[in-house]
Amino acid sequence: ENNTGKALLEEKAQPITPAPVALDANKNRVLLTASADSWLRVDMDGGEEIHYSLHKGETLLLAFAQKLQIKLSNTDAIQVRFNGKDVPLEHGRTLFTLLLPPAEQ
């Protein structure tokens, strides 16, 4: 009796670990990178405010559809990238509110 075919079928039937869920292509993306400790309060699309603490070297990726408000405690500690582009922050601020997307110039 040939068990090779049966073994291959059993091997193929093993559960596959799903890939991480891809971000919706229609959403804006913000990547925050901390160079020192900082806290953040985030309001995405008018929802409930979420609090985060970032430590040196940590990153946070956020995706939102329409608007994002970020209150942060230390502008010198956070680098912000919006849809792949750096967002300049006012340096030396200990409390700063960032609105994305930025208002049209």
Side-chain angles (χ1 to χ4, degrees):
E1 186 176 351
N2 184 349
N3 288 329
T4 306
K6 184 177 180 183
L8 285 174
L9 283 176
E10 287 176 357
E11 188 174 311
K12 287 181 183 178
Q14 295 300 315
I16 297 171
T17 303
V21 175
L23 291 172
D24 185 335
N26 295 323
K27 291 205 174 191
N28 294 293
R29 290 171 186 73
V30 175
L31 179 65
L32 303 159
T33 305
S35 60
D37 291 353
S38 183
W39 59 258
L40 310 165
R41 293 181 183 162
V42 177
D43 178 345
M44 289 185 284
D45 296 320
E48 185 176 334
E49 190 173 78
I50 303 169
H51 299 246
Y52 297 96
S53 289
L54 287 182
H55 304 287
K56 184 177 181 176
E58 292 182 336
T59 60
L60 176 65
L61 178 62
L62 303 169
F64 65 99
Q66 308 227 343
K67 63 181 181 170
L68 175 73
Q69 176 179 287
I70 304 172
K71 295 176 187 172
L72 51 108
S73 66
N74 182 357
T75 56
D76 292 335
I78 300 289
Q79 177 192 15
V80 179
R81 290 183 63 81
F82 174 60
N83 290 336
K85 296 179 182 173
D86 286 331
V87 176
L89 300 178
E90 291 181 32
H91 290 289
R93 296 284 301 272
T94 55
L95 183 57
F96 186 76
T97 300
L98 176 64
L99 301 174
L100 294 172
E104 293 296 322
Q105 300 294 322

